[in-house]
Amino acid sequence: MNRNHMTDRVTLEKIEKLTAVKGMNDVLPPDSATVEWLEAKVRALMARYAYRNIRTPIVERTPLFIRGLGEVTDIVEKEMYCFEDRLNGDPLTLRPEATAGVVRAALEHNMLYDGGKRLYYMGPMFRHERPQKGRYRQFDQIGAEALGFSGAEVDAELILMANALWKEIGLKDVRLELNSLGQPAERIEHRKALIAYLEQHQEVLDEDAKRRLYSNPLRILDTKNPHMQTLVDAAPKLMDYLGDASRTHFKALTTILEANGVAYTVNPRLVRGMDYYNLTVFEFTTDRLGSQGTVCAGGRYDYLFEQLGGKPAPAVGWALGVDRVLELAKSHGLGNVGPILDAYAIVTDVTAFPFVHKVMQELRELGLSVQMHASAGEGMGSMKSQFKRADSSGARFALIFGADEIAAGQVTIKSLRNVSIGQQTLPCDQVTDWAATLQSSD
Ligand code: ATP
Ligand code: MG
């Protein structure tokens, strides 16, 4: 018997309820309207900063992430959803982040042949983490990447853009933390000092830290283990090992931020979860979300192009966690602005639909949003029950297509929100005039 067939059957027998996969959430209306609200704000903002949309596949070849993110990282070590292509056995992975894919696409399509590119993306990422508030196994990120630019002015542009987004959506209490990871040669010197320091404090190191002591000691500074905080606080700081060029880059960035009134703190322990960063790294954090307080994170990754086998090119970017940003927006009472329905069409007889659809179509072409009453198994329902639906739909007006109206080619329009606007019956060719007055009175 075919192997896949067998596995399918075994799995099916085990399933009692067909629920969503743990850590992967459904986003239902009206919450989905809040996501759309954020996405619309982001699209408009990106356009103003001249960033253009890129859409890369959700599935990539596994080596892309191993080479791109680094072998000794949380993501590659334990968080990726990997599987084999069932036909040719190719190792594939659901993307845990999008930067590697964006760089792969830039290389594959030689996107930088005529200069740098400013790009943004939105979409789901997958990480096998322990699900909790603000941490899921499928989660949306929105990210911006500036490829082919080496100057600190672009680091600044990205940070100012993120800052503008917080302002645009009304978020407060978002703090910016900055650090510089310098260049590889500087990191080697710092690394030696760091290993020597950590070796002297072996007894405080947890399992992860011991394992990473020689493979990736910098990552130990990124620990979330409270017992190691004092140790990492006192560890040698990378900042103290930076050469002139790295310092100049950092200074140029902070000068632009200061001139533009962007407050920041330098956090020498900010190292970020991927290996690909150099020079500038940053995070936007908030105290309002408990331990999942990082809403946006990013930095410069001038070596990623090379690491993925391409011609070297500088780059810098950030990614924000949509769930966390929306949670923060909610804590401010923002978002959730569902569409406002202009009208609800009440229809008593199904034979009227050829005519009703024609009228609704004209209104929709004028930009009105119109919901139509539809049968749910037992005919159209009474006028009274349809009015109830119309009312709870939130629509501003009811359009009544009753027997009399249909016979006369008319429609009765009744305000559902304002009793002082009496109802009126109009010939259908005047409905668009009514719609026009409606819009001008908005
Ligand atoms: P953390 O330290 O919280 O694990 P990270 O360093 O792994 O974050 P990045 O890979 O930099 O996060 O992703 C950028 C942003 O995406 C994070 O700041 C966060 O807002 C969001 N994010 C990351 N992982 C998750 C997740 N599992 N669920 C929801 N949002 C996430
Ligand atoms: Mg993480």
Side-chain angles (χ1 to χ4, degrees), residues 75 127 129 134-136 139 141 224 272-274 294-297 319-321 323-324:
I75 293 181
R127 297 184 192 177
E129 305 199 65
R135 193 176 292 286
Y136 309 102
F139 59 98
Q141 279 188 343
K224 294 190 170 91
R272 308 286 311 114
M274 292 77 154
T294 306
V295 291
C296 175
L320 67 78
D323 303 275
R324 296 187 195 178

Side-chain angles (χ1 to χ4, degrees), residues 293-345:
T294 306
V295 291
C296 175
R300 187 160 271 288
Y301 49 94
D302 295 333
Y303 300 96
L304 185 56
F305 276 76
E306 261 174 288
Q307 218 166 295
L308 296 180
K311 206 170 124 206
V316 51
W318 53 246
L320 67 78
V322 169
D323 303 275
R324 296 187 195 178
V325 168
L326 289 180
E327 199 56 37
L328 184 56
K330 252 197 233 163
S331 83
H332 287 95
L334 302 165
N336 206 4
V337 278
I340 294 177
L341 206 51
D342 293 304
Y344 189 102

Side-chain angles (χ1 to χ4, degrees), residues 422-435:
Q423 69 176 44
Q424 52 176 329
T425 301
L426 296 176
C428 282
D429 54 7
Q430 286 175 28
V431 171
T432 50
D433 298 340
W434 165 77

Side-chain angles (χ1 to χ4, degrees), residues 262-283:
V262 179
Y264 63 88
T265 50
V266 177
N267 176 357
R269 281 178 36 205
L270 187 62
V271 296
R272 308 286 311 114
M274 292 77 154
D275 278 358
Y276 51 56
Y277 290 111
N278 70 305
L279 292 173
T280 313
V281 288
F282 56 89
E283 288 189 354

